[in-house]
Amino acid sequence: MKPVRILTVGKAKAGHFGKAADHYRKLLSRFFRLEEDWVKDSSPRLSPEQRKEAEATSLLARHKPGEALICLDEKGKSMASRTFSAKLHNLVERHSGVCFVIGGPYGLGEEIRNKADMLLAFGPMTLPHEMARLVLLEQIYRAAAIRAGLPYHND
């Protein structure tokens, strides 16, 4: 079972989003080996651009060789769930794993965006980190359910 990792800036906090995330983690466990990792937020003394670049460096240091890199980015490509399912499974088959990245409060630096295999958007709106992670977990589960032919997704 290949790993799917979620790498974020800032540690996930417990709470109402955490309980929902636990639900999707449990559902996903039958399809993927889900791993979650995080890097520290950069110093608030830095400018927003410097923060993005410092965090990009930290994130790239945690990216494992051979993993597909998918960055969540509001300027990325939005897609239907079936399209996402096909793309995700194609990346899983071609790589040793898949690493999804959720940036800090100012987004992702150019260095990591340029190295991404895919920039993925859940739409043009900005989401809080905890909510973005929850939506990502649900969409990864939906993609796996579509691939497995489960009656979870309705067109």
Side-chain angles (χ1 to χ4, degrees), residues 128-140:
H129 291 78
E130 296 292 318
M131 188 173 290
R133 191 177 102 236
L134 178 58
V135 172
L136 176 60
L137 286 166
E138 191 280 335
Q139 285 298 300
I140 296 169

Side-chain angles (χ1 to χ4, degrees), residues 7 9 39-40 42 49-63 69 101 103-104 107-113 115:
L7 180 57
V9 173
V39 300
K40 284 185 176 182
S42 59
E49 203 56 42
Q50 291 171 318
R51 288 183 74 173
K52 289 192 309 188
E53 293 309 320
E55 290 164 356
T57 299
S58 296
L59 290 164
L60 284 169
R62 295 278 177 92
H63 177 244
L69 183 62
V101 174
L108 293 167
E110 286 302 309
E111 181 183 14
I112 194 163
R113 290 177 82 250
K115 291 186 179 181

Side-chain angles (χ1 to χ4, degrees), residues 52-120:
K52 289 192 309 188
E53 293 309 320
E55 290 164 356
T57 299
S58 296
L59 290 164
L60 284 169
R62 295 278 177 92
H63 177 244
K64 296 177 183 176
E67 281 182 324
L69 183 62
I70 302 174
C71 294
L72 271 59
D73 188 286
E74 63 193 17
K75 296 174 188 132
K77 182 176 171 69
S78 294
M79 59 188 76
S81 293
R82 285 196 183 275
T83 303
F84 174 66
S85 178
K87 288 189 180 291
L88 174 60
H89 284 89
N90 182 275
L91 288 169
V92 167
E93 289 169 8
R94 292 185 9 236
H95 294 83
S96 62
V98 175
C99 179
F100 288 92
V101 174
I102 300 173
Y106 295 102
L108 293 167
E110 286 302 309
E111 181 183 14
I112 194 163
R113 290 177 82 250
N114 290 336
K115 291 186 179 181
D117 294 288
M118 180 192 320
L119 296 176
L120 177 65

